């Protein structure tokens, strides 16, 4: 069965303290891996799509990387406004339905 | 302009009632989805429509019935509500089915008394 696991479940950082969030996946035939950010009371907001191992994407203080088993979301010198829940999701298999399988998320708190 | 909008934002109702949630997108997308997010924030796909045609129907009780009157709208009707239906329901859309970013609404929080 396809599965996505994120760690840690929660992460507290001081402003400026860089760290990484992990997303491990076990799927048959990865087609794409997505990162989303979710603020309290809001829907997930799309950040990145990664398609193949070795691929990297950056946006401001965020950098996403992908291997054959996991993805990392690196946060460099975070600011309090980066506080949110970060969700990882995969699309896998032969069907072209857009079905996403989500991990349980990592809740990041950045203190000033 | 809100890209994906859901109504209502909050829904509080008694067990056994029937309720509907509406979703509209103004992005010109072909594909729309319904997700359920439980108390542990775990998001799970329920349904997906592509050009008004059902393409994903996960293991969801028959009490849940989606309806897509046109490409821009996907509504969710729930019959005989149960305590376990309490959750946040998110609507999303993508340009097409497939490896496309999905854009989410802000959710409908359903509470069953």
């Amino acid at each position: 069965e396809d599965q996505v696991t994120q760690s840690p479940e929660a992460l507290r950082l001081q402003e400026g303290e860089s760290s990484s969030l992990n997303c491990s996946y076990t799927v048959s035939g990865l087609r794409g891996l997505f990162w989303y950010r979710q603020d309290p009371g809001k829907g997930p907001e799309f950040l990145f799509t990664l398609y193949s191992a070795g691929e990297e994407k950056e946006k401001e203080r965020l950098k996403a990387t992908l291997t054959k088993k996991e993805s990392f979301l690196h946060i460099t010198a975070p600011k309090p406004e980066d506080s949110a829940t970060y969700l990882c999701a995969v699309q896998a298999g032969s069907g072209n339905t857009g079905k996403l399988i989500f991990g349980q998320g990592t809740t990041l708190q950045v203190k000033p | 302009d809100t890209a994906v909008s859901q109504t209502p934002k909050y829904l509080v109702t008694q067990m056994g009632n029937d309720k509907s949630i509406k979703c509209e997108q103004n992005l010109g997308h072909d594909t729309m989805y319904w997700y359920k997010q439980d108390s542990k924030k775990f998001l799970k796909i329920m349904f997906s429509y592509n050009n008004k045609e059902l393409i994903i129907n996960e293991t969801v009780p028959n009490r849940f019935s989606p309806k897509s009157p046109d490409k821009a709208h996907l509504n969710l009707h729930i019959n005989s509500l149960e305590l376990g239906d309490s959750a946040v329901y998110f609507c999303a859309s993508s340009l097409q089915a497939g490896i496309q970013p999905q854009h989410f609404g802000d959710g409908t929080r359903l509470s069953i008394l």
Side-chain angles (χ1 to χ4, degrees):
Chain A
E1 185 183 339
D2 296 338
Q3 198 167 357
V4 178
T5 305
Q6 292 186 243
S7 62
E9 195 170 310
L11 182 62
R12 288 184 180 181
L13 298 173
Q14 287 296 129
E15 185 171 1
E17 179 187 2
S18 301
S19 188
S20 296
L21 282 55
N22 177 264
C23 171
S24 299
Y25 60 90
T26 309
V27 299
S28 50
L30 179 74
R31 303 185 72 215
L33 185 142
F34 299 79
W35 281 99
Y36 285 86
R37 169 192 170 126
Q38 186 174 21
D39 293 301
K42 299 287 186 181
E45 177 188 344
F46 170 72
L47 293 173
F48 304 108
T49 309
L50 300 166
Y51 297 97
S52 57
E55 190 175 358
E56 299 182 351
K57 289 209 175 154
E58 282 188 72
K59 181 180 178 180
E60 296 179 357
R61 297 177 291 281
L62 300 177
K63 180 180 176 180
T65 61
L66 181 64
T67 72
K68 289 186 177 181
K69 292 182 180 181
E70 57 193 349
S71 176
F72 290 94
L73 185 64
H74 308 278
I75 303 177
T76 303
K79 297 183 177 182
E81 53 262 42
D82 294 323
S83 298
T85 296
Y86 290 85
L87 300 169
C88 168
V90 300
Q91 209 177 106
S94 56
N96 198 33
T97 62
K99 176 182 174 180
L100 290 179
I101 301 167
F102 278 87
Q104 76 275 33
T106 293
T107 299
L108 172 66
Q109 184 181 28
V110 181
K111 293 187 172 183
Chain B
D1 278 350
T2 304
V4 180
S5 58
Q6 297 178 227
T7 54
K9 190 169 175 65
Y10 300 98
L11 192 49
V12 181
T13 189
Q14 301 274 1
M15 204 164 53
N17 283 350
D18 302 338
K19 290 293 177 186
S20 292
I21 306 171
K22 294 187 176 181
C23 179
E24 176 181 3
Q25 54 95 3
N26 63 5
L27 297 168
H29 288 171
D30 282 352
T31 311
M32 296 184 73
Y33 311 81
W34 276 112
Y35 286 85
K36 180 180 181 180
Q37 189 170 46
D38 61 24
S39 55
K40 295 186 179 180
K41 295 196 173 180
F42 191 62
L43 261 172
K44 189 166 183 182
I45 184 82
M46 299 172 69
F47 301 103
S48 174
Y49 273 74
N50 187 56
N51 268 320
K52 300 194 298 176
E53 189 177 328
L54 183 66
I55 58 171
I56 297 176
N57 187 354
E58 289 294 292
T59 311
V60 177
N62 290 339
R63 300 181 294 103
F64 289 79
S65 52
K67 196 164 188 179
S68 181
D70 55 57
K71 281 196 327 181
H73 296 85
L74 180 61
N75 303 322
L76 183 65
H77 188 77
I78 315 170
N79 289 326
S80 304
L81 281 158
E82 300 178 357
L83 288 175
D85 297 333
S86 294
V88 182
Y89 292 85
F90 286 97
C91 176
S93 72
S94 62
L95 188 60
Q96 297 169 335
I99 317 171
Q100 301 278 347
Q102 293 178 19
H103 299 263
F104 285 78
D106 284 339
T108 296
R109 182 174 292 277
L110 175 62
S111 300
I112 310 300
L113 304 177

